[in-house]
Amino acid sequence: MFARLVKESFIRNPRRKALTAAALIVGMAVATATLSVALEVGDRMAREFRSLGANLLVTPQSDSLPLQIGGVDYRPVNEGAYLNVSDLGKLKMIFWRNNILGFAPFLDVPATLSGNATTHAAGVHTTAVHTTLIGTWYQHQVRVPDGTTFQTGVRSTHPWWKIQGRWFEDSASEAVVGSTLAANFPGGIAPGQTIELTSRAAGSAAAPQSIALTVTGIVQTGGAEDNAVLAPLSIAQQLSGHPGQFRQLFVSALTKPADALAQRDPSTLTPTEYDRWFCSPYISSISYQIKTALPGTQVRTIRRVADTEGRVLSRISTLLWIVTIAALAAAALAVAATSAATVLERRAEIGIMKAIGASNSLVSGIFLAEQLLLALVGGVIGFVCGAALARILGESVFGSPAPLKPILLPIVLGIAACVAIIGSLIPLRRAAHLDPAPILRGE
Amino acid sequence: MFGRLLFRLLRGNRGRLAVALVAVISGSAVISALLNIELDVGRKLAQEFRTLGPNLVVAPRGGIQTDDAGSASATLMDQEAVWRGIAQTHTPDSVFSAPYLYVVGRVNNTPVIVAGTQLQPDLLHPAWKLDSAQKAPPRIPGWDADTELLLDAHSAFVGQNAARRLHLALGGRFEVTYMNRTATLTNAAILDSGGAEDDQILAWLPTVQKLAALPGRIQFEELRKDGDAAEITRYAKRLSAALPAYEVRPIPQATQAEANLLKRTRLLVGSMVVLILALTALCVLATMAALAMERREDVGLMKALGGGIGRIVALFVAEVGVLGATGGLIGCAIGVVLAQWMGRQVFGASVAPRWEIFPITVVLMTLVSMTGALPLRLLGRVKPALILRGE
């Protein structure tokens, strides 16, 4: 009987239901879309922030004081400590290995650059300029102890470096020249030319080494590297007499903004807190894991990058959650208002039912059942529309759609049901207490 | 007559109208709060990017050259000229700058980079942490702890690595030697920069210039201009024109990344706000349409009495229009308060209320409400008897 009444009400008055249904569908669609975005956006934006480049710097623990200006180390090669390239595969074995997006080792060698310069006066002659040879990787395959390989290099850690021409091949005698050096070298340096680099060992007895390299491109970095020559790490190792070694390592890691737990000293944490800290990709826990994996190193956070990322990410995430809650509140209020309006509209029906003897609970029950059914159907359709909306949003903002989270369906249906019921309850309660006669009379 | 009818309509149906009013008020509160936030979010987020540090560099043409003896080569700039150029083109609160001159000096016979500069770290390098509190005497001469400015010839910030390796205690004096010249400096604060400055000693620029025997010369000047990519490029051009002898370059790491990230964030927030706007408008439309649909019998009655459909519909459109406008106004006021609260939660600072949102929201709400009532026009064709019968 109950079911029949509900079914009849749907068949007879589809138009009135349509408006409530429309409000429900639109409301739940927006709720789904905003919830999906809010859940995904943290990860997506963190990945976008990796365009800032490396956020960690690994150096030997027992190093001498680096003489760095603008990122280029001017120390003689026989001073200071070195790290081994063979250890680098271990970086992809730490707990947070999937968050290590890239790393690049650097070895700076003071060198003299000679090339053939043509002047209009005297024909071809050789000039020599003091510069630095920076040895690094552009795209290098690193062998990881578990058998896989990992491709990495300055492409991940310094993504803002622009190349005119192409980067060097790791195994070839090629080099890339900084734009300022190329422009100011007498006669200029262009891709295709050959340059010769001689190591400058200040006050060392060993004979200086020379190597000839083909220039494959001109790089613009915006920093001191524009005055230097970049070549494969193996070339710099050869020139400096330190095979298999490097001086410093830049690491680009995907991290989670630091909160209260991350800022505490790990040694003061209880075992449960320590587990939570270790198993969260805070920059402090990733640093700790790198330090443990690479013995004899000191891991520093490049704070201008890490702090900016942390601050902006946490602001964006708070903003988005607030916007999402506003959307949910707006959706809930709209659905509640529409439910209330439709119940109010049908006061005559309530009056009739009461007049022929239906109890208050039966009347309320029928209406609530209707609203619930509407909410469920509307919720499902709204969820589908919302998922499509979230995909479009993900595509247009991040360039790739976010995967659908099925857990949202019960949440959205739950919200729809609650809101529709709450919305109808208030007018139902009022109507239930009224005398049928005035309602039937039309007041 | 029209006004009287309208007034009676509004007074008569308080129950139903109250529901509709609540819908409109909540809708317009959310809309105006979000619009307020959205208009400000770009500016507020750009301020967070200050932590990235400088985004422009003024350098001599030919780049920054040093050789490993650390002696300054021919490519230097005139400090005064650069400062004049910046002073001519900048607006006080949006451009911060610092000049630099580097020498490779010796402290306790160990080579260390000594950077001569004059800067306010919290403006140009917010990520730096200056520590003077540990074991220092309460007042270190030549250093202003409030502004963190180096004030005199003998104070220096020592990077934390340099302090550790050279055993330079906080508050202690040490000597820097370069060529045959010596300067005595006091360790005013330990610097934790998270960058290359951890290995350097930062001293007052004139002191380092004297040490290098290069009075009035600097190697480069770094600047930070707040704003988006377009503003930074425009400022760089203006500064270039004011300093024709030197090169003004944006620092690509800062400018590119900031531009890209800000764009994505604004797109994201903007899309969500548009979505919510559409939802709210649609829901207000639905509520108003439901309200108007109830008037069917009244429309039928008025037609039977001889009224033209145009005037009748106008009455009900006006009814919902007044509802929309009133709800819009109240909702806007609530929305401004809501926006302030949201701003404090997200940015820790209140958002400036934008008064242009008021007319926009009220007009939007009124238009949407009126659109909801328009379907009543369709009743124009139907015979009054059919309407009154309830079909």
Side-chain angles (χ1 to χ4, degrees):
Chain A
M1 167 78 164
F2 187 86
R4 209 156 27 115
L5 279 169
V6 174
K7 195 178 73 169
E8 294 282 301
S9 128
F10 269 93
I11 296 174
R12 277 179 202 271
N13 280 311
R15 223 181 325 145
R16 281 179 178 165
K17 305 278 181 300
L19 272 169
T20 320
L24 263 164
I25 291 175
V26 172
M28 291 308 117
V30 171
T32 316
T34 50
L35 271 173
S36 323
V37 170
L39 286 171
E40 278 292 320
V41 86
D43 284 340
R44 297 300 197 90
M45 288 302 288
R47 241 168 233 281
E48 290 297 326
F49 265 91
R50 296 292 80 241
S51 64
L52 281 175
N55 47 6
L56 288 168
L57 177 61
V58 180
T59 47
Q61 200 170 28
S62 57
D63 205 4
S64 65
L65 202 57
L67 297 177
Q68 267 197 40
I69 299 177
V72 178
D73 198 338
Y74 294 98
R75 273 181 293 179
V77 294
N78 52 359
E79 254 184 50
Y82 287 81
L83 294 169
N84 293 319
V85 171
S86 52
D87 285 338
L88 287 179
K90 297 188 204 152
L91 274 178
K92 288 300 272 180
M93 297 288 289
I94 65 175
F95 183 84
W96 282 112
R97 53 183 159 277
N98 292 324
N99 283 41
I100 303 282
L101 297 183
F103 48 87
F106 279 77
L107 175 55
D108 297 349
V109 185
T112 313
L113 168 68
S114 13
N116 293 327
T118 319
T119 62
H120 46 262
V124 177
H125 63 273
T126 327
T127 35
V129 160
H130 285 345
T131 183
T132 309
L133 173 69
I134 301 176
T136 184
W137 293 337
Y138 176 62
Q139 256 181 308
H140 180 96
Q141 300 281 4
V142 177
R143 221 170 302 133
V144 183
D146 67 1
T148 55
T149 58
F150 176 61
Q151 193 181 65
T152 185
V154 292
R155 202 163 173 222
S156 320
T157 58
H158 294 76
W160 66 92
W161 284 2
K162 282 207 191 67
I163 187 88
Q164 211 184 350
R166 67 168 178 85
W167 278 92
F168 47 73
E169 294 284 325
D170 256 346
S171 42
S173 291
E174 296 174 343
V176 152
V177 179
S179 54
T180 318
L181 180 59
N184 293 323
F185 191 75
I189 302 180
Q193 270 179 265
T194 312
I195 54 173
E196 191 172 315
L197 282 157
T198 316
S199 64
R200 269 182 303 145
S204 151
Q209 290 223 30
S210 263
I211 193 160
L213 300 168
T214 317
V215 177
T216 56
I218 308 291
V219 71
Q220 199 164 19
T221 67
E225 300 88 355
D226 281 342
N227 268 337
V229 177
L230 287 94
L233 184 62
S234 45
I235 306 268
Q237 289 168 339
Q238 194 187 333
L239 210 61
S240 66
H242 284 270
Q245 296 190 314
F246 65 95
R247 279 250 219 231
Q248 56 181 3
L249 181 75
F250 283 91
V251 180
S252 173
L254 203 58
T255 61
K256 186 174 129 166
D259 54 21
L261 183 64
Q263 278 159 7
R264 287 169 54 190
D265 185 359
S267 51
T268 63
L269 297 174
T270 67
T272 341
E273 287 175 331
Y274 181 84
D275 275 341
R276 234 185 43 197
W277 170 78
F278 193 90
C279 296
S280 305
Y282 298 125
I283 197 145
S284 53
S285 64
I286 295 184
S287 302
Y288 175 79
Q289 290 169 16
I290 294 179
K291 194 165 149 53
T292 319
L294 300 177
T297 58
Q298 181 192 28
V299 182
R300 285 187 267 181
T301 310
I302 298 175
R303 284 224 310 282
R304 13 185 292 281
V305 172
D307 281 3
T308 309
E309 183 174 344
R311 292 167 73 120
V312 178
L313 274 180
S314 53
R315 300 259 189 250
I316 293 178
S317 144
T318 317
L319 180 63
L320 276 175
W321 276 108
I322 287 189
V323 169
T324 305
I325 292 174
L328 288 174
L333 271 163
V335 170
T338 327
S339 301
T342 41
V343 167
L344 274 175
E345 196 185 59
R346 294 162 65 187
R347 284 186 318 171
E349 273 181 60
I350 300 177
I352 293 179
M353 280 197 252
K354 288 194 68 176
I356 54 176
S359 63
N360 278 338
S361 48
L362 185 60
V363 172
S364 305
I366 292 175
F367 275 80
L368 284 178
E370 273 180 27
Q371 296 291 329
L372 204 59
L373 213 56
L374 261 176
L376 289 174
V377 171
V380 168
I381 302 177
F383 177 78
V384 170
C385 298
L389 264 172
R391 256 186 108 84
I392 298 173
L393 213 59
E395 287 253 17
S396 59
V397 176
F398 294 110
S400 64
L404 188 58
K405 284 191 157 47
I407 188 124
L408 283 178
L409 181 58
I411 296 178
V412 165
L413 286 179
I415 298 176
C418 289
V419 166
I421 291 177
I422 294 174
S424 337
L425 266 178
I426 302 165
L428 268 178
R429 185 169 292 260
R430 280 190 46 202
H433 289 297
L434 287 174
D435 216 0
I439 302 179
L440 286 171
R441 273 207 301 264
E443 290 160 20
Chain B
M1 170 76 164
F2 188 87
R4 223 165 1 125
L5 278 170
L6 184 61
F7 187 61
R8 292 196 75 182
L9 263 178
L10 287 170
R11 239 187 29 181
N13 276 307
R14 270 194 278 256
R16 273 174 248 178
L17 292 189
V19 168
L21 197 62
V22 164
V24 177
I25 289 179
S26 66
S28 52
V30 167
I31 289 181
S32 65
L34 286 179
L35 276 177
N36 214 344
I37 291 274
E38 212 259 324
L39 289 174
D40 237 4
V41 82
R43 204 162 49 93
K44 283 274 182 343
L45 275 180
Q47 281 179 6
E48 298 297 337
F49 276 95
R50 276 196 193 174
T51 318
L52 269 181
N55 51 15
L56 285 169
V57 141
V58 179
R61 293 188 186 279
I64 307 152
Q65 308 262 22
T66 45
D67 60 28
D68 54 9
S71 62
S73 54
T75 50
L76 289 174
M77 304 196 293
D78 182 355
Q79 183 187 354
E80 266 307 294
V82 175
W83 176 241
R84 251 179 291 129
I86 296 177
Q88 270 173 21
T89 52
H90 88 325
T91 44
D93 280 336
S94 68
V95 175
F96 314 107
S97 66
Y100 279 87
L101 179 68
Y102 290 106
V103 295
V104 181
R106 282 179 173 269
V107 173
N108 300 338
N109 218 22
T110 316
V112 64
I113 298 259
V114 180
T117 182
Q118 187 59 16
L119 84 164
Q120 217 168 332
D122 57 339
L123 289 178
L124 202 54
H125 292 278
W128 287 9
K129 291 195 194 132
L130 282 163
D131 178 16
S132 70
Q134 284 172 345
K135 298 168 214 154
R139 187 175 135 54
I140 295 177
W143 186 58
D144 182 344
D146 292 326
T147 58
E148 295 181 338
L149 266 177
L150 286 172
L151 291 178
D152 77 17
H154 298 293
S155 301
F157 295 152
V158 179
Q160 55 180 357
N161 279 0
R164 208 173 43 231
R165 285 195 204 288
L166 302 171
H167 309 292
L168 298 176
L170 197 54
R173 298 170 75 100
F174 59 95
E175 282 190 1
V176 178
T177 322
Y178 179 70
M179 303 289 207
N180 296 325
R181 295 177 282 272
T182 311
T184 314
L185 299 174
T186 314
N187 185 352
I190 304 278
L191 171 63
D192 175 6
S193 72
E197 294 81 4
D198 285 345
D199 306 317
Q200 298 173 356
I201 294 176
L202 274 69
W204 207 43
L205 182 61
T207 310
V208 178
Q209 287 172 331
K210 207 164 70 169
L211 197 60
L214 291 164
R217 315 290 270 165
I218 53 175
Q219 273 167 324
F220 66 92
E221 179 120 10
E222 57 182 22
L223 298 101
R224 167 143 196 110
K225 163 102 183 81
D226 280 338
D228 59 21
E231 286 175 33
I232 296 175
T233 323
R234 267 203 306 270
Y235 177 74
K237 282 211 183 75
R238 276 202 348 251
L239 191 57
S240 237
L243 293 171
Y246 306 128
E247 208 184 319
V248 178
R249 280 199 313 255
I251 298 179
Q253 180 188 19
T255 48
Q256 278 177 22
E258 186 175 338
N260 181 37
L261 290 163
L262 272 177
K263 186 182 78 162
R264 285 202 198 277
T265 314
R266 298 198 67 168
L267 198 55
L268 187 64
V269 176
S271 329
M272 288 185 77
V273 170
V274 163
L275 216 56
I276 298 169
L277 243 75
L279 157 74
T280 321
L282 268 165
C283 288
V284 169
L285 188 69
T287 314
M288 291 310 186
L291 198 67
M293 276 303 137
E294 288 178 26
R295 303 283 189 217
R296 271 193 347 231
E297 284 161 10
D298 296 335
V299 170
L301 194 61
M302 286 194 229
K303 274 197 76 173
L305 291 174
I309 188 71
R311 279 201 68 178
I312 300 171
V313 173
L315 194 63
F316 294 113
V317 168
E319 180 195 11
V320 291
V322 166
L323 211 58
T326 326
L329 261 164
I330 302 174
C332 251
I334 299 178
V336 167
V337 174
L338 201 61
Q340 297 296 315
W341 177 81
M342 281 165 74
R344 255 193 291 277
Q345 294 298 100
V346 179
F347 298 111
S350 44
V351 177
R354 301 287 199 102
W355 303 112
E356 52 262 37
I357 296 178
F358 261 83
I360 296 176
T361 317
V362 171
V363 166
L364 183 68
M365 280 294 130
T366 318
L367 280 174
V368 165
S369 311
M370 293 204 284
T371 317
L374 281 179
L376 281 174
R377 246 197 167 274
L378 292 171
L379 293 171
R381 302 276 167 75
V382 187
K383 284 213 172 95
L386 283 166
I387 303 174
L388 288 170
R389 267 210 299 264
E391 290 163 25

